[in-house]
Amino acid sequence: MRTLDHYAASSRLRDVAPGYKLLYALPPIAMVLWVDSVPFSLLVFGLMSASVVMKGGVRPGDYLRWLLLPAAFLMTGTAAVAFDISVHQESFLFSIPVGSAFIGVTSAGLAMAIHLAFKAMASVSCLYFIAFTTPVADLGRSMSALGVPGLFIEMTLLIYRFVFLLFETASEMATAQRSRLGYAGTAVSFRSLALLASNLFFFSARRAEEVYVAMECRGYDGSIRVLAPSSGERQPSFAGLVLLELVLLGLAVATHFGRFF
């Protein structure tokens, strides 16, 4: 699977000024969190996903595979919200007896879990729009222009790089194990997984040190500098962007006060 940086670097929206993309994707997150509405969350999710696929040029299959990562965490996290415990069985949609009480799913818990899941996926789609269209170096440059402290930017860039370094190391180790039939059977799979987990930190730390040495060889002096694009960044219509945000805000207000959706 390609990393997010590969998608961001090859995106059709790569040359759009990062500030416009942040203005496009960040306000809807606040609206989704404020409005407790599944249709509004679906609207934001559809808008951001369509922007990533149709405007950014990301293949739908790749985008869906990346969505499976947060979806797996959401399924386990929101499932726990839907369950409740009570001594009255009639309050559950379905339940199982545990001693003198019952554990099951209530209608209120199920509704809350559904709302949380859709809110989270809509928020993830907004962040994915930024991640799939904006390389992290461009984000660092934008944060610097906004006056964010250099130390914070540097830590953000290094953590981002080392997270993917950890992912790449785990992927290479798993590929090497599979080439030696390391996952041919349940017992062998558990042993291979234990070996991967025990060695992952050691190899990742060694590769991180190699990356740091490479940075020093290229003149790293405590601050990460990135080159700005040689050609001017594309700036879409600011008025159109504000109009879109106002339309979304109007829908959010109408939905929140029960006038819509």
Side-chain angles (χ1 to χ4, degrees):
M1 182 182 288
R2 300 169 67 191
T3 64
L4 285 175
D5 256 353
H6 285 105
Y7 288 104
S10 58
S11 172
R12 295 174 192 160
L13 301 175
R14 164 72 173 82
D15 59 343
V16 175
Y20 285 80
K21 288 182 276 190
L22 294 177
L23 181 60
Y24 176 68
L26 292 184
I29 296 179
M31 298 180 202
V32 164
L33 296 178
W34 177 54
V35 178
D36 194 18
S37 169
V38 172
F40 186 79
S41 298
L42 281 174
L43 174 66
V44 173
F45 177 81
L47 179 64
M48 293 299 159
S49 299
S51 300
V52 170
V53 173
M54 300 176 68
K55 292 292 185 180
V58 177
R59 291 184 298 183
D62 293 345
Y63 183 66
L64 289 177
R65 276 194 291 274
W66 277 95
L67 282 178
L68 290 178
L69 294 175
F73 288 102
L74 279 176
M75 287 180 64
T76 55
T78 56
V81 176
F83 282 86
D84 199 356
I85 182 169
S86 174
V87 294
H88 304 292
Q89 188 180 12
E90 60 273 12
S91 60
F92 293 105
L93 295 175
F94 56 87
S95 61
I96 56 173
V98 179
S100 59
F102 296 90
I103 295 179
V105 176
T106 63
S107 57
L110 183 61
M112 182 180 294
I114 292 173
H115 278 90
L116 283 176
F118 279 96
K119 274 187 179 184
M121 287 307 295
S123 302
V124 166
S125 69
C126 296
L127 295 178
Y128 267 14
F129 173 80
I130 299 173
F132 274 98
T133 59
T134 311
V136 68
D138 292 354
L139 288 178
R141 196 169 59 253
S142 298
M143 288 190 289
S144 178
L146 293 174
V148 177
L151 179 60
F152 178 81
I153 298 173
E154 183 181 353
M155 292 298 297
T156 302
L157 296 179
L158 288 176
I159 290 172
Y160 180 86
R161 177 67 186 105
F162 288 148
V163 164
F164 281 96
L165 190 64
L166 186 71
F167 176 78
E168 291 169 7
T169 304
S171 178
E172 291 172 0
M173 292 173 65
T175 301
Q177 288 177 328
R178 278 195 292 271
S179 67
R180 298 185 178 95
L181 301 180
Y183 293 94
T186 304
V188 179
S189 297
F190 276 110
R191 189 175 65 182
S192 297
L193 191 61
L195 287 173
L196 189 150
S198 60
N199 292 323
L200 180 59
F201 179 76
F202 171 74
F203 283 100
S204 299
R206 192 173 69 180
R207 290 198 61 185
E209 185 176 355
E210 292 171 353
V211 169
Y212 184 75
V213 171
M215 290 171 62
E216 285 193 319
C217 292
R218 295 174 182 174
Y220 176 66
D221 60 353
S223 62
I224 299 176
R225 301 180 181 85
V226 295
L227 293 174
S230 55
S231 58
E233 292 176 330
R234 188 155 49 98
Q235 297 186 352
S237 170
F238 182 75
L241 189 56
V242 171
L243 179 62
L244 175 63
E245 296 296 343
L246 288 177
V247 170
L248 280 178
L249 180 61
L251 290 175
V253 172
T255 303
H256 182 72
F257 291 103
R259 303 289 182 87
F260 201 66
F261 288 150

